[in-house]
Amino acid sequence: LNTKSGLFNFSPGAVALMGLKAGDQIVCHKDEEEMESWFWEKVSNNGFLLRAKENVTKGLIFNNTALARAIAGSVDMQEKGGKCVISGDPVKQGKRILWAMITAPLKKAYKWKE
């Protein structure tokens, strides 16, 4: 994720794991009790539209600066960009399937290449 451009880049592995494709929509949920815990959910409407941009990534992307900054702030990320991973096992809440973001690597975020 990049806090300057708001870019979220889902790798091909994350796309396959979560069953995503270009044109799908995704939302991000924050755990109300654990401020560093965030979850992705694939939705049918009112989400961020995932798009393919082959000159940027082989995965899928969307942009939202406010969300990127909220996630970065929750883990006290000091750099403008960083990487995290998606948990291999989703959390099921009724019919909803939530994918946990492992945000710990953002605390030691690498310097984003310009």
Side-chain angles (χ1 to χ4, degrees), residues 3-102:
T3 58
K4 184 174 180 183
S5 66
L7 180 69
F8 286 83
N9 182 347
F10 289 85
S11 71
V15 168
L17 176 69
M18 298 170 67
L20 301 173
K21 63 185 181 313
D24 283 346
Q25 295 182 42
I26 195 164
V27 294
C28 191
H29 302 283
K30 182 177 183 179
D31 188 311
E32 294 177 6
E33 295 176 9
E34 292 186 37
M35 302 305 280
E36 295 180 359
S37 296
W38 295 81
F39 298 86
W40 294 110
E41 179 185 14
K42 180 179 170 180
V43 294
S44 57
N45 57 34
N46 296 323
F48 300 110
L49 183 65
L50 294 170
R51 64 189 190 278
K53 194 163 185 180
E54 293 181 13
N55 64 333
V56 174
T57 181
K58 293 183 180 187
L60 297 172
I61 61 174
F62 77 89
N63 293 75
N64 188 286
T65 305
L67 178 59
R69 290 178 180 171
I71 293 169
S74 75
V75 297
D76 196 30
M77 186 174 95
Q78 299 299 309
E79 303 294 335
K80 76 173 185 179
K83 293 183 180 183
C84 57
V85 296
I86 306 297
S87 173
D89 296 315
V91 175
K92 296 181 182 177
Q93 292 184 338
K95 293 182 179 182
R96 297 171 70 187
I97 298 174
L98 305 174
W99 297 89
M101 280 195 311
I102 310 300

